[in-house]
Coordinates of all heavy atoms in Angstrom, one line a residue:
M1 N 101.9 -62.4 -12.6 CA 100.3 -62.1 -12.6 C 99.8 -62.7 -13.9 O 100.2 -62.5 -15.0 CB 100.0 -60.5 -12.5 CG 98.6 -60.3 -12.8 SD 98.1 -58.8 -11.8 CE 96.6 -59.2 -11.2
A2 N 98.6 -63.5 -13.7 CA 98.0 -64.0 -14.9 C 96.9 -63.0 -15.3 O 96.3 -62.3 -14.5 CB 97.3 -65.3 -14.5
K3 N 96.7 -63.0 -16.6 CA 95.8 -62.0 -17.2 C 94.6 -62.7 -17.7 O 94.6 -63.8 -18.0 CB 96.5 -61.3 -18.5 CG 97.8 -60.5 -18.1 CD 97.6 -59.4 -17.3 CE 98.8 -58.6 -17.0 NZ 98.6 -57.6 -16.0
K4 N 93.5 -62.0 -17.8 CA 92.3 -62.4 -18.3 C 92.5 -63.1 -19.7 O 93.1 -62.5 -20.4 CB 91.3 -61.3 -18.4 CG 89.9 -61.6 -18.8 CD 88.9 -60.4 -19.1 CE 87.7 -60.9 -19.6 NZ 86.8 -59.8 -19.8
G5 N 91.9 -64.2 -19.8 CA 92.0 -64.9 -21.1 C 93.2 -65.9 -21.1 O 93.2 -66.7 -21.9
D6 N 94.1 -65.8 -20.1 CA 95.3 -66.8 -20.0 C 94.7 -68.2 -19.8 O 93.6 -68.5 -19.2 CB 96.2 -66.4 -19.0 CG 97.1 -65.3 -19.3 OD1 97.2 -64.9 -20.5 OD2 97.8 -64.9 -18.3
W7 N 95.3 -69.2 -20.4 CA 95.2 -70.7 -20.1 C 95.7 -71.0 -18.7 O 97.0 -70.8 -18.6 CB 95.6 -71.5 -21.2 CG 95.4 -73.0 -21.1 CD1 96.3 -73.9 -21.0 CD2 94.2 -73.7 -21.2 NE1 95.8 -75.2 -20.9 CE2 94.4 -75.0 -21.1 CE3 92.9 -73.2 -21.5 CZ2 93.4 -75.9 -21.2 CZ3 91.9 -74.2 -21.6 CH2 92.1 -75.5 -21.4
V8 N 94.8 -71.4 -17.8 CA 95.5 -71.7 -16.4 C 94.9 -73.0 -16.0 O 93.9 -73.6 -16.5 CB 95.0 -70.5 -15.6 CG1 95.7 -69.2 -15.9 CG2 93.5 -70.3 -15.4
R9 N 95.4 -73.4 -14.7 CA 95.1 -74.5 -13.9 C 94.7 -74.1 -12.6 O 95.4 -73.4 -12.0 CB 96.1 -75.6 -13.8 CG 95.6 -76.9 -13.1 CD 96.7 -77.8 -12.9 NE 97.7 -77.8 -13.8 CZ 97.9 -79.0 -14.7 NH1 97.3 -80.0 -14.7 NH2 99.0 -78.8 -15.6
I10 N 93.5 -74.6 -12.1 CA 93.1 -74.3 -10.8 C 92.8 -75.5 -9.9 O 92.8 -76.6 -10.4 CB 91.8 -73.5 -10.8 CG1 90.5 -74.3 -11.4 CG2 91.8 -72.1 -11.6 CD1 89.2 -73.6 -11.2
H11 N 92.8 -75.3 -8.7 CA 92.8 -76.4 -7.6 C 91.5 -76.1 -6.7 O 91.4 -74.9 -6.4 CB 94.0 -76.6 -6.9 CG 93.9 -77.6 -5.7 ND1 93.7 -77.1 -4.4 CD2 93.9 -79.0 -5.7 CE1 93.6 -78.3 -3.7 NE2 93.7 -79.3 -4.5
K12 N 90.8 -77.1 -6.4 CA 89.7 -76.9 -5.5 C 89.5 -78.1 -4.7 O 89.5 -79.3 -5.2 CB 88.4 -76.7 -6.3 CG 87.2 -76.4 -5.7 CD 86.1 -76.1 -6.7 CE 84.7 -75.7 -6.0 NZ 83.9 -75.4 -7.1
V13 N 89.1 -78.0 -3.4 CA 88.7 -79.1 -2.6 C 87.3 -79.3 -2.8 O 86.5 -78.4 -2.3 CB 89.1 -79.1 -1.1 CG1 88.6 -80.1 -0.2 CG2 90.7 -78.9 -0.9
I14 N 86.8 -80.4 -3.2 CA 85.4 -80.7 -3.4 C 84.8 -81.2 -2.1 O 83.7 -80.7 -1.7 CB 85.2 -81.7 -4.6 CG1 85.8 -81.4 -5.8 CG2 83.7 -82.0 -4.7 CD1 85.3 -80.1 -6.4
L15 N 85.4 -82.1 -1.5 CA 84.9 -82.6 -0.1 C 86.0 -82.8 0.8 O 87.1 -83.3 0.5 CB 84.2 -84.1 -0.4 CG 83.0 -84.1 -1.1 CD1 82.5 -85.5 -1.3 CD2 81.7 -83.3 -0.4
K16 N 85.9 -82.3 2.0 CA 86.9 -82.6 3.1 C 86.8 -84.0 3.5 O 85.7 -84.7 3.4 CB 86.6 -81.6 4.2 CG 86.7 -80.2 3.9 CD 86.3 -79.2 5.1 CE 86.3 -77.8 4.6 NZ 85.7 -76.9 5.7
P17 N 87.8 -84.5 4.2 CA 87.7 -85.9 4.6 C 86.5 -86.3 5.4 O 85.9 -87.3 5.2 CB 89.0 -86.1 5.5 CG 90.1 -85.0 4.8 CD 89.1 -83.9 4.4
E18 N 86.0 -85.4 6.3 CA 84.9 -85.7 7.2 C 83.6 -85.6 6.4 O 82.5 -86.0 6.9 CB 84.9 -84.7 8.4 CG 84.7 -83.4 8.1 CD 86.1 -82.6 7.8 OE1 87.2 -83.3 7.7 OE2 86.1 -81.3 7.7
E19 N 83.6 -85.1 5.1 CA 82.5 -84.9 4.4 C 82.2 -86.2 3.5 O 81.2 -86.3 2.7 CB 82.5 -83.7 3.5 CG 82.4 -82.4 4.4 CD 82.6 -81.2 3.5 OE1 83.4 -81.2 2.6 OE2 82.0 -80.1 4.0
R20 N 83.3 -87.0 3.3 CA 83.2 -88.1 2.4 C 82.4 -89.3 2.8 O 82.2 -89.4 4.0 CB 84.5 -88.6 2.0 CG 85.4 -87.4 1.4 CD 86.7 -87.8 0.9 NE 86.5 -88.6 -0.3 CZ 87.4 -89.0 -1.2 NH1 88.6 -88.7 -1.0 NH2 87.2 -89.6 -2.3
T21 N 81.9 -90.1 1.9 CA 81.0 -91.3 2.3 C 81.8 -92.2 3.1 O 83.0 -92.3 3.1 CB 80.4 -91.8 1.1 OG1 79.6 -92.9 1.5 CG2 81.4 -92.5 0.2
G22 N 81.0 -93.1 4.1 CA 81.7 -93.9 4.7 C 81.9 -95.3 4.0 O 82.6 -96.2 4.6
K23 N 81.5 -95.4 2.7 CA 81.7 -96.6 1.9 C 83.0 -96.5 1.2 O 83.0 -97.1 0.1 CB 80.5 -96.7 1.0 CG 79.3 -96.9 1.8 CD 78.1 -97.1 0.8 CE 76.7 -97.3 1.5 NZ 75.7 -97.4 0.6
L24 N 84.0 -95.8 1.6 CA 85.3 -95.7 1.0 C 86.3 -96.6 1.8 O 86.2 -96.8 3.0 CB 85.8 -94.3 0.9 CG 84.9 -93.3 0.0 CD1 85.4 -91.9 0.2 CD2 85.0 -93.8 -1.4
P25 N 87.4 -97.0 1.1 CA 88.4 -97.6 1.8 C 89.1 -96.6 2.8 O 89.0 -95.4 2.6 CB 89.6 -97.9 0.8 CG 88.8 -98.0 -0.5 CD 87.6 -97.0 -0.4
E26 N 89.6 -97.1 3.9 CA 90.0 -96.2 5.1 C 91.1 -95.3 4.5 O 91.0 -94.1 5.0 CB 90.7 -97.1 6.1 CG 89.6 -97.8 7.0 CD 88.7 -96.9 7.6 OE1 89.1 -95.8 8.1 OE2 87.5 -97.2 7.5
D27 N 92.0 -95.6 3.7 CA 93.0 -94.6 3.3 C 92.5 -93.6 2.5 O 92.9 -92.4 2.5 CB 94.3 -95.2 2.6 CG 93.9 -96.1 1.4 OD1 92.6 -96.5 1.3 OD2 94.8 -96.5 0.6
T28 N 91.4 -94.0 1.6 CA 90.7 -92.9 0.8 C 90.0 -91.9 1.6 O 90.0 -90.7 1.4 CB 89.9 -93.6 -0.1 OG1 90.7 -94.5 -1.0 CG2 89.2 -92.6 -1.1
K29 N 89.3 -92.5 2.7 CA 88.5 -91.6 3.5 C 89.3 -90.5 4.3 O 88.8 -89.4 4.7 CB 87.8 -92.4 4.6 CG 86.5 -93.1 4.0 CD 85.7 -93.6 5.3 CE 86.2 -95.0 5.8 NZ 85.3 -95.6 6.7
K30 N 90.5 -90.8 4.5 CA 91.4 -89.7 5.3 C 91.9 -88.5 4.5 O 92.4 -87.7 5.0 CB 92.7 -90.5 5.6 CG 92.3 -91.6 6.7 CD 93.6 -92.4 7.1 CE 93.2 -93.6 7.9 NZ 94.4 -94.4 8.4
V31 N 91.6 -88.5 3.1 CA 92.1 -87.4 2.3 C 91.0 -86.8 1.7 O 89.9 -87.3 1.4 CB 93.1 -87.9 1.2 CG1 94.3 -88.4 1.9 CG2 92.5 -88.9 0.3
P32 N 91.2 -85.4 1.3 CA 90.0 -84.8 0.7 C 89.9 -85.2 -0.8 O 90.7 -85.7 -1.5 CB 90.5 -83.2 0.7 CG 91.9 -83.3 0.8 CD 92.2 -84.6 1.5
L33 N 88.6 -85.0 -1.3 CA 88.4 -85.2 -2.8 C 88.7 -83.8 -3.4 O 88.2 -82.8 -3.2 CB 86.9 -85.5 -3.0 CG 86.6 -85.6 -4.5 CD1 87.3 -86.8 -5.2 CD2 85.1 -85.8 -4.7
E34 N 89.7 -83.9 -4.3 CA 90.3 -82.6 -4.9 C 90.0 -82.5 -6.4 O 89.9 -83.7 -7.0 CB 91.8 -82.4 -4.6 CG 92.1 -82.5 -3.2 CD 93.6 -82.5 -2.8 OE1 94.2 -83.6 -2.9 OE2 94.2 -81.4 -2.9
M35 N 89.9 -81.5 -7.0 CA 89.8 -81.3 -8.4 C 90.9 -80.3 -8.9 O 91.2 -79.3 -8.3 CB 88.5 -80.7 -8.6 CG 88.2 -80.2 -10.1 SD 86.5 -79.4 -10.3 CE 86.9 -77.8 -9.8
W36 N 91.5 -80.7 -10.1 CA 92.3 -79.8 -10.8 C 91.7 -79.5 -12.2 O 91.4 -80.6 -12.8 CB 93.7 -80.3 -11.0 CG 94.5 -80.1 -9.7 CD1 95.5 -79.3 -9.3 CD2 94.6 -81.2 -8.7 NE1 96.0 -79.6 -8.1 CE2 95.5 -80.8 -7.6 CE3 93.9 -82.4 -8.3 CZ2 95.7 -81.4 -6.6 CZ3 94.2 -83.0 -7.2 CH2 95.1 -82.6 -6.4
T37 N 91.5 -78.3 -12.6 CA 90.8 -78.1 -13.8 C 91.4 -76.9 -14.5 O 92.1 -76.0 -14.0 CB 89.4 -77.6 -13.5 OG1 88.8 -78.5 -12.8 CG2 88.5 -77.4 -14.7
K38 N 91.5 -77.1 -15.9 CA 92.1 -76.0 -16.7 C 91.0 -75.4 -17.5 O 89.9 -75.8 -17.7 CB 93.0 -76.8 -17.8 CG 94.3 -77.3 -17.1 CD 95.1 -78.0 -18.1 CE 94.7 -79.3 -18.4 NZ 95.6 -80.2 -19.2
G39 N 91.3 -74.1 -17.8 CA 90.4 -73.2 -18.6 C 91.0 -71.9 -18.7 O 92.2 -71.6 -18.5
Y40 N 90.2 -70.9 -19.2 CA 90.5 -69.6 -19.6 C 90.2 -68.7 -18.4 O 89.0 -68.7 -17.9 CB 89.9 -69.1 -20.8 CG 90.3 -69.9 -22.0 CD1 89.5 -70.8 -22.6 CD2 91.6 -69.6 -22.7 CE1 89.9 -71.7 -23.7 CE2 91.9 -70.4 -23.7 CZ 91.2 -71.4 -24.2 OH 91.6 -72.2 -25.3
L41 N 91.1 -67.9 -17.9 CA 90.9 -67.1 -16.8 C 90.0 -65.9 -17.1 O 90.1 -65.3 -18.1 CB 92.3 -66.4 -16.3 CG 92.5 -65.8 -15.0 CD1 92.0 -66.7 -13.9 CD2 93.8 -65.2 -14.9
L42 N 89.0 -65.7 -16.2 CA 87.9 -64.7 -16.6 C 88.3 -63.3 -16.0 O 87.6 -62.3 -16.2 CB 86.6 -65.3 -16.0 CG 86.1 -66.4 -16.6 CD1 84.7 -66.9 -16.0 CD2 85.8 -66.2 -18.1
H43 N 89.3 -63.3 -15.1 CA 89.9 -62.1 -14.6 C 91.1 -62.1 -14.2 O 91.6 -63.3 -14.0 CB 88.9 -61.4 -13.5 CG 88.7 -62.4 -12.3 ND1 89.7 -62.6 -11.3 CD2 87.8 -63.3 -12.0 CE1 89.2 -63.5 -10.4 NE2 88.1 -64.0 -10.8
D44 N 92.0 -61.0 -14.1 CA 93.4 -61.1 -13.7 C 93.5 -61.8 -12.4 O 92.6 -61.6 -11.4 CB 94.0 -59.8 -13.6 CG 94.2 -59.1 -15.2 OD1 93.9 -59.8 -16.0 OD2 94.5 -57.9 -15.1
G45 N 94.7 -62.5 -12.0 CA 94.9 -63.0 -10.7 C 96.3 -63.4 -10.6 O 97.0 -63.6 -11.7
D46 N 96.8 -63.6 -9.3 CA 98.0 -64.1 -9.1 C 97.9 -65.6 -8.6 O 96.9 -66.1 -8.1 CB 98.7 -63.4 -7.8 CG 99.1 -62.0 -8.3 OD1 99.7 -61.9 -9.5 OD2 98.9 -61.0 -7.6
I47 N 99.0 -66.3 -8.8 CA 99.1 -67.7 -8.2 C 98.8 -67.6 -6.7 O 99.2 -66.8 -6.0 CB 100.6 -68.2 -8.4 CG1 101.0 -68.4 -9.8 CG2 100.7 -69.5 -7.7 CD1 100.3 -69.3 -10.8
G48 N 98.0 -68.5 -6.3 CA 97.5 -68.6 -4.9 C 96.2 -68.0 -4.6 O 95.6 -68.1 -3.7
E49 N 95.7 -67.2 -5.5 CA 94.4 -66.5 -5.4 C 93.2 -67.3 -5.9 O 93.5 -68.1 -6.8 CB 94.4 -65.2 -6.1 CG 95.3 -64.1 -5.4 CD 95.3 -62.7 -6.2 OE1 94.6 -62.7 -7.4 OE2 95.7 -61.8 -5.8
E50 N 92.1 -67.0 -5.3 CA 90.9 -67.7 -5.8 C 90.4 -66.9 -7.1 O 90.4 -65.6 -7.1 CB 89.8 -67.7 -4.9 CG 88.5 -68.5 -5.3 CD 87.5 -68.6 -4.4 OE1 87.9 -69.3 -3.3 OE2 86.3 -68.6 -4.7
V51 N 90.3 -67.7 -8.2 CA 89.9 -67.1 -9.4 C 88.7 -67.9 -10.0 O 88.3 -69.0 -9.6 CB 91.1 -67.1 -10.5 CG1 92.2 -66.2 -10.0 CG2 91.6 -68.5 -10.7
E52 N 88.2 -67.4 -11.2 CA 87.1 -68.0 -11.9 C 87.7 -68.2 -13.3 O 88.3 -67.5 -13.9 CB 85.9 -67.2 -11.9 CG 84.7 -68.0 -12.6 CD 83.4 -67.2 -12.5 OE1 83.4 -66.1 -12.0 OE2 82.4 -67.8 -12.9
I53 N 87.3 -69.5 -13.8 CA 87.8 -69.8 -15.3 C 86.5 -70.3 -15.9 O 85.5 -70.6 -15.4 CB 88.8 -70.9 -15.2 CG1 88.2 -72.3 -14.7 CG2 90.0 -70.6 -14.4 CD1 89.2 -73.5 -14.9
E54 N 86.7 -70.3 -17.3 CA 85.7 -71.0 -18.2 C 86.4 -72.2 -18.8 O 87.5 -71.9 -19.5 CB 85.2 -70.0 -19.2 CG 84.2 -70.7 -20.1 CD 83.4 -69.6 -21.0 OE1 83.4 -68.5 -20.7 OE2 82.9 -70.2 -22.1
T55 N 86.0 -73.4 -18.8 CA 86.5 -74.6 -19.4 C 86.2 -74.5 -20.8 O 85.4 -73.8 -21.3 CB 86.0 -75.9 -18.8 OG1 84.6 -75.9 -19.0 CG2 86.2 -75.8 -17.2
V56 N 86.9 -75.4 -21.5 CA 86.6 -75.4 -22.9 C 85.3 -75.9 -23.4 O 84.8 -75.6 -24.5 CB 87.7 -76.5 -23.7 CG1 89.1 -75.9 -23.5 CG2 87.6 -77.9 -23.1
C57 N 84.6 -76.5 -22.5 CA 83.2 -76.9 -22.7 C 82.2 -75.7 -22.1 O 81.0 -75.9 -22.2 CB 82.8 -78.3 -22.3 SG 82.9 -78.4 -20.5
G58 N 82.6 -74.7 -21.8 CA 81.9 -73.5 -21.4 C 81.4 -73.6 -19.8 O 80.7 -72.7 -19.4
R59 N 81.9 -74.5 -19.0 CA 81.6 -74.5 -17.7 C 82.4 -73.6 -16.9 O 83.6 -73.4 -17.2 CB 81.9 -76.0 -17.1 CG 81.2 -76.4 -15.9 CD 81.4 -77.9 -15.5 NE 82.7 -78.0 -15.1 CZ 83.8 -78.7 -15.5 NH1 83.6 -79.4 -16.6 NH2 85.0 -78.8 -15.0
H60 N 81.8 -72.9 -15.9 CA 82.5 -71.8 -15.0 C 82.8 -72.6 -13.7 O 82.0 -73.2 -13.1 CB 81.6 -70.7 -14.7 CG 81.5 -69.8 -16.0 ND1 81.6 -68.4 -15.9 CD2 81.5 -70.1 -17.3 CE1 81.6 -68.0 -17.0 NE2 81.5 -68.8 -17.9
E61 N 84.1 -72.4 -13.3 CA 84.6 -73.1 -12.2 C 85.3 -72.0 -11.2 O 86.1 -71.2 -11.9 CB 85.5 -74.2 -12.4 CG 84.8 -75.4 -12.9 CD 83.8 -76.2 -11.9 OE1 84.0 -75.9 -10.7 OE2 83.1 -77.0 -12.4
R62 N 85.4 -72.1 -10.0 CA 86.2 -71.3 -9.1 C 87.1 -72.2 -8.4 O 86.9 -73.4 -8.1 CB 85.3 -70.5 -8.1 CG 84.4 -69.6 -8.7 CD 83.8 -68.5 -7.7 NE 84.7 -67.7 -7.1 CZ 85.2 -66.6 -7.6 NH1 84.8 -66.2 -8.7 NH2 86.0 -65.8 -6.9
G63 N 88.4 -71.6 -8.1 CA 89.4 -72.4 -7.4 C 90.6 -71.5 -7.3 O 90.7 -70.4 -7.7
T64 N 91.6 -72.2 -6.6 CA 92.9 -71.5 -6.4 C 93.8 -71.6 -7.7 O 94.0 -72.8 -8.2 CB 93.6 -72.0 -5.2 OG1 92.7 -72.0 -4.1 CG2 95.0 -71.3 -4.9
L65 N 94.3 -70.4 -8.2 CA 95.2 -70.5 -9.3 C 96.5 -71.1 -9.0 O 97.1 -70.6 -8.0 CB 95.4 -69.0 -9.9 CG 96.2 -68.9 -11.0 CD1 95.7 -69.6 -12.2 CD2 96.3 -67.4 -11.3
T66 N 96.8 -72.2 -9.7 CA 98.1 -72.9 -9.4 C 99.1 -72.8 -10.5 O 100.3 -73.0 -10.3 CB 97.8 -74.4 -9.2 OG1 97.2 -74.9 -10.4 CG2 96.8 -74.6 -7.9
E67 N 98.6 -72.6 -11.8 CA 99.7 -72.5 -12.9 C 99.1 -71.8 -14.1 O 98.0 -71.9 -14.3 CB 99.9 -74.0 -13.2 CG 101.0 -74.3 -14.2 CD 101.2 -75.8 -14.4 OE1 100.4 -76.6 -13.8 OE2 102.1 -76.2 -15.3
V68 N 100.0 -71.0 -14.7 CA 99.6 -70.4 -16.0 C 100.2 -71.1 -17.2 O 101.4 -71.6 -17.0 CB 100.2 -69.0 -15.9 CG1 99.9 -68.2 -17.2 CG2 99.6 -68.1 -14.8
N69 N 99.5 -71.3 -18.2 CA 100.0 -72.2 -19.4 C 100.4 -73.5 -18.9 O 101.5 -74.0 -19.3 CB 101.1 -71.5 -20.2 CG 100.4 -70.2 -20.8 OD1 99.4 -70.1 -21.2 ND2 101.3 -69.1 -20.8
P70 N 99.5 -74.3 -18.4 CA 100.0 -75.7 -17.9 C 100.3 -76.6 -19.1 O 99.7 -76.4 -20.1 CB 98.7 -76.2 -17.0 CG 97.6 -75.5 -17.7 CD 98.1 -74.0 -18.0
Y71 N 101.2 -77.5 -18.8 CA 101.4 -78.6 -19.8 C 101.7 -79.7 -19.2 O 102.0 -80.0 -17.9 CB 102.6 -78.1 -20.7 CG 103.8 -77.8 -19.9 CD1 104.8 -78.8 -19.8 CD2 104.1 -76.5 -19.3 CE1 106.0 -78.5 -19.0 CE2 105.2 -76.4 -18.5 CZ 106.1 -77.4 -18.4 OH 107.3 -77.2 -17.6
Y72 N 101.7 -80.8 -20.0 CA 102.0 -82.2 -19.4 C 103.4 -82.5 -19.2 O 104.2 -82.1 -20.0 CB 101.5 -83.3 -20.4 CG 100.0 -83.4 -20.6 CD1 99.4 -82.8 -21.7 CD2 99.1 -83.7 -19.5 CE1 98.0 -82.9 -21.9 CE2 97.7 -83.8 -19.7 CZ 97.2 -83.3 -20.8 OH 95.8 -83.1 -21.0
T73 N 103.8 -83.1 -18.0 CA 105.2 -83.3 -17.8 C 105.4 -84.8 -17.5 O 106.5 -85.2 -17.2 CB 105.5 -82.5 -16.5 OG1 104.8 -82.9 -15.5 CG2 105.5 -81.0 -16.6
H74 N 104.3 -85.6 -17.7 CA 104.6 -87.1 -17.6 C 105.2 -87.8 -18.8 O 105.3 -87.2 -19.8 CB 103.3 -87.8 -17.3 CG 102.3 -87.7 -18.4 ND1 101.5 -86.7 -18.7 CD2 102.0 -88.6 -19.4 CE1 100.8 -86.9 -19.7 NE2 101.1 -88.1 -20.2
S75 N 105.6 -88.9 -18.5 CA 106.2 -89.7 -19.7 C 105.7 -91.1 -19.5 O 105.0 -91.4 -18.6 CB 107.9 -89.6 -19.7 OG 108.3 -90.5 -18.6
F76 N 106.1 -91.9 -20.4 CA 105.7 -93.3 -20.3 C 106.9 -94.1 -19.7 O 106.8 -95.4 -19.8 CB 105.4 -93.9 -21.7 CG 104.0 -93.2 -22.2 CD1 104.0 -92.2 -23.0 CD2 102.8 -93.6 -21.6 CE1 102.9 -91.5 -23.5 CE2 101.5 -92.9 -22.0 CZ 101.5 -91.9 -22.9
G77 N 107.9 -93.5 -19.1 CA 108.9 -94.2 -18.4 C 110.2 -94.2 -19.3 O 110.2 -93.9 -20.5
R78 N 111.1 -95.1 -18.8 CA 112.3 -95.2 -19.5 C 112.1 -96.4 -20.4 O 111.2 -97.1 -20.4 CB 113.5 -95.6 -18.6 CG 113.8 -94.5 -17.5 CD 114.9 -94.9 -16.6 NE 115.2 -93.8 -15.7 CZ 116.4 -93.1 -15.7 NH1 117.2 -93.5 -16.6 NH2 116.5 -92.1 -15.0
C79 N 113.1 -96.3 -21.5 CA 113.1 -97.5 -22.5 C 113.1 -98.8 -21.7 O 114.0 -99.1 -20.8 CB 114.2 -97.3 -23.4 SG 114.3 -98.6 -24.7
V80 N 112.3 -99.8 -22.2 CA 112.5 -101.1 -21.7 C 112.8 -102.0 -22.9 O 112.0 -102.4 -23.8 CB 111.0 -101.6 -21.1 CG1 111.0 -103.0 -20.6 CG2 110.4 -100.6 -20.1
P81 N 114.0 -102.5 -22.9 CA 114.6 -103.3 -24.0 C 113.8 -104.5 -24.3 O 113.6 -104.9 -25.4 CB 115.9 -103.7 -23.6 CG 116.4 -102.6 -22.6 CD 115.1 -102.3 -21.8
E82 N 113.1 -105.1 -23.2 CA 112.3 -106.3 -23.6 C 111.1 -106.0 -24.4 O 110.8 -106.7 -25.3 CB 111.8 -106.8 -22.1 CG 112.9 -107.5 -21.3 CD 113.6 -106.4 -20.4 OE1 113.3 -105.1 -20.6 OE2 114.5 -106.8 -19.8
L83 N 110.5 -104.7 -24.3 CA 109.5 -104.3 -25.2 C 109.8 -104.2 -26.5 O 109.0 -104.4 -27.5 CB 108.7 -103.1 -24.7 CG 108.0 -103.3 -23.2 CD1 107.3 -101.9 -22.9 CD2 107.0 -104.3 -23.4
L84 N 111.1 -103.8 -26.8 CA 111.6 -103.7 -28.2 C 111.7 -105.0 -28.8 O 111.3 -105.1 -30.0 CB 113.0 -103.0 -28.1 CG 113.1 -101.6 -27.6 CD1 114.5 -101.1 -27.6 CD2 112.3 -100.5 -28.5
A85 N 112.0 -106.1 -28.1 CA 112.1 -107.3 -28.7 C 110.7 -107.8 -28.9 O 110.5 -108.5 -29.9 CB 112.8 -108.3 -27.6
V86 N 109.6 -107.6 -28.0 CA 108.4 -108.0 -28.3 C 107.9 -107.3 -29.5 O 107.1 -107.8 -30.2 CB 107.5 -107.6 -27.0 CG1 105.9 -107.8 -27.4 CG2 107.9 -108.4 -25.8
D87 N 108.1 -105.9 -29.7 CA 107.7 -105.3 -30.9 C 108.1 -106.0 -32.2 O 107.3 -106.2 -33.0 CB 108.3 -103.9 -30.9 CG 108.0 -103.2 -32.1 OD1 106.7 -102.9 -32.4 OD2 108.8 -102.8 -33.0
R88 N 109.4 -106.4 -32.2 CA 109.8 -107.2 -33.3 C 109.1 -108.5 -33.5 O 108.8 -108.9 -34.6 CB 111.4 -107.4 -33.2 CG 112.2 -106.3 -33.4 CD 113.7 -106.5 -33.3 NE 114.4 -105.4 -33.5 CZ 115.4 -105.2 -34.3 NH1 115.9 -106.3 -35.0 NH2 116.1 -104.1 -34.4
Q89 N 108.9 -109.1 -32.5 CA 108.2 -110.5 -32.5 C 106.7 -110.4 -33.0 O 106.2 -111.1 -34.0 CB 108.2 -111.1 -31.2 CG 109.5 -111.7 -30.8 CD 109.4 -112.1 -29.2 OE1 108.5 -111.9 -28.5 NE2 110.5 -112.8 -28.8
V90 N 106.0 -109.3 -32.6 CA 104.8 -109.1 -33.0 C 104.7 -108.6 -34.4 O 103.8 -109.1 -35.2 CB 104.0 -107.9 -32.1 CG1 102.8 -107.4 -32.8 CG2 103.8 -108.4 -30.8
R91 N 105.6 -107.8 -34.9 CA 105.6 -107.3 -36.3 C 105.9 -108.6 -37.2 O 105.3 -108.7 -38.3 CB 106.7 -106.5 -36.6 CG 106.3 -105.0 -36.0 CD 107.5 -104.0 -36.2 NE 107.2 -102.9 -35.6 CZ 106.6 -101.8 -36.1 NH1 106.1 -101.9 -37.3 NH2 106.4 -100.6 -35.4
E92 N 106.8 -109.5 -36.8 CA 107.1 -110.7 -37.5 C 105.7 -111.6 -37.6 O 105.4 -112.1 -38.6 CB 108.1 -111.6 -36.9 CG 108.6 -112.8 -37.5 CD 109.2 -112.6 -38.9 OE1 109.9 -111.6 -39.2 OE2 108.9 -113.3 -40.0
I93 N 105.1 -111.7 -36.5 CA 103.9 -112.6 -36.5 C 102.6 -112.1 -37.3 O 102.1 -112.7 -38.1 CB 103.4 -112.8 -35.0 CG1 104.4 -113.7 -34.3 CG2 102.0 -113.5 -35.0 CD1 104.1 -113.8 -32.8
V94 N 102.6 -110.7 -37.1 CA 101.3 -110.1 -37.8 C 101.6 -109.7 -39.2 O 100.7 -110.0 -40.1 CB 100.9 -108.8 -36.8 CG1 99.7 -108.1 -37.6 CG2 100.4 -109.3 -35.4
F95 N 102.8 -109.1 -39.4 CA 103.0 -108.6 -40.8 C 104.1 -109.4 -41.7 O 104.3 -109.1 -42.7 CB 103.5 -107.2 -40.8 CG 102.5 -106.3 -40.0 CD1 102.8 -105.7 -38.7 CD2 101.3 -106.0 -40.5 CE1 101.8 -104.9 -38.1 CE2 100.4 -105.3 -39.9 CZ 100.6 -104.7 -38.7
G96 N 104.7 -110.4 -41.0 CA 105.7 -111.1 -41.7 C 107.1 -110.3 -41.8 O 107.8 -110.6 -42.6
G97 N 107.4 -109.5 -40.9 CA 108.7 -108.8 -40.8 C 108.5 -107.3 -40.3 O 107.4 -106.9 -39.6
E98 N 109.5 -106.5 -40.3 CA 109.6 -105.2 -39.8 C 108.9 -104.2 -40.7 O 108.7 -103.1 -40.3 CB 111.0 -104.9 -39.6 CG 111.6 -105.5 -38.3 CD 113.0 -105.2 -38.0 OE1 113.3 -103.9 -38.4 OE2 113.7 -105.9 -37.4
K99 N 108.6 -104.5 -41.9 CA 108.1 -103.5 -42.8 C 106.5 -103.4 -42.7 O 105.9 -104.3 -42.7 CB 108.5 -103.8 -44.3 CG 110.0 -103.5 -44.5 CD 110.5 -103.6 -45.8 CE 112.0 -103.5 -45.9 NZ 112.5 -103.7 -47.2

C-alpha cells in the first residue's frame, strides 16, 4: 500500500483511439494517447487503484497508481568500441591529446 506523500507514478488514458484526430498516421490512430506522470500521492492507495497526485510543479492529476518510488531503468546501451576510438580521435583533434 502506498501512503499519502509517497513519490509515485500514475497512468491515464487521455484519448481513446476513436477520439483521436484523423490527421495522424494509421498506426498511431489505432492506439490510445496515454500519460504517465510522477508526483506526490495525496491519499493512501494500492497499485491499480485510481489516485490523485500533486506534481512537482503543483499540478493535480488523477490516474491509476502503477509504481511507488519510480526510478529510471533505461541505459544508453552496451559499449560500442568504435565510439571509444572516435573519442580518442576527437580529443586529439580538439585538444591535441587525451589530457
Side-chain angles (χ1 to χ4, degrees):
M1 172 151 222
K3 301 290 184 193
K4 178 181 178 180
D6 284 350
W7 180 248
V8 298
R9 182 187 329 250
I10 62 169
H11 172 259
K12 179 179 183 179
V13 174
I14 304 298
L15 293 173
K16 298 175 186 171
E18 62 271 12
E19 297 171 327
R20 298 190 74 172
T21 182
K23 297 180 180 184
L24 293 171
E26 285 303 315
D27 57 342
T28 304
K29 283 193 276 189
K30 294 177 184 176
V31 297
L33 176 62
E34 300 175 274
M35 172 184 79
W36 286 265
T37 305
K38 293 180 274 186
Y40 297 100
L41 195 58
L42 295 178
H43 54 81
D44 294 355
D46 284 321
I47 301 291
E49 289 183 348
E50 185 170 312
V51 296
E52 186 175 4
I53 65 168
E54 183 174 333
T55 66
V56 292
C57 63
R59 203 174 75 242
H60 285 220
E61 292 287 347
R62 293 190 69 80
T64 303
L65 181 60
T66 61
E67 191 176 356
V68 178
N69 294 324
Y71 58 94
Y72 294 108
T73 58
H74 67 276
S75 74
F76 294 101
R78 295 178 180 249
C79 178
V80 180
E82 293 82 2
L83 292 179
L84 296 173
V86 170
D87 175 62
R88 286 180 182 229
Q89 291 172 346
V90 169
R91 287 177 188 274
E92 181 66 38
I93 293 168
V94 175
F95 302 113
E98 290 187 19
K99 294 184 180 179

